[in-house]
Amino acid sequence: MDAQSEKIISHYAAAYQQLYKRNPKDVRILGNGWVSVNGAKMRVSELEYLTVQLQQEYNQGRTLEQRRNIVNRLLKWFKQ
């Protein structure tokens, strides 16, 4: 399970970095399917779910940014 835990922690750290532009501070394996994230003890499966949530939040932000860029380009085009 430790190899799987390390993989999930790695995915979490990448998603966290992508969204917040910094590395998570305290993420470590406690053993027996448990991890500690910023002092909060949780199951590895919960961290996996949290990672999916972070990825979705990042993707939503990108979508909003893309829409904003399209609207701004249209506004500039109409102003011509």
Side-chain angles (χ1 to χ4, degrees):
M1 183 72 166
D2 282 338
Q4 183 68 16
S5 296
E6 287 179 20
K7 181 179 173 184
I8 292 170
I9 285 175
S10 173
H11 289 164
Y12 168 78
Y16 189 96
Q17 165 65 26
Q18 194 173 38
L19 182 62
Y20 297 113
K21 309 293 185 234
R22 66 177 190 264
N23 291 324
K25 291 182 181 176
D26 180 32
V27 182
R28 54 194 158 94
I29 298 171
L30 299 176
N32 295 326
W34 290 90
V35 293
S36 174
V37 179
N38 294 332
K41 184 178 174 183
M42 65 180 73
R43 291 208 164 276
V44 173
S45 60
E46 293 171 326
L47 182 61
E48 194 170 20
Y49 177 77
L50 178 59
T51 301
V52 170
Q53 296 299 312
L54 289 175
Q55 290 168 338
Q56 287 177 349
E57 191 172 327
Y58 175 76
N59 290 334
Q60 286 176 349
R62 274 190 23 194
T63 302
L64 288 174
E65 185 177 325
Q66 289 169 345
R67 288 181 189 163
R68 198 173 299 123
N69 287 338
I70 290 170
V71 169
N72 285 333
R73 281 188 282 169
L74 283 171
L75 288 172
K76 287 178 185 177
W77 184 78
F78 283 123
K79 286 181 181 180
Q80 293 178 356

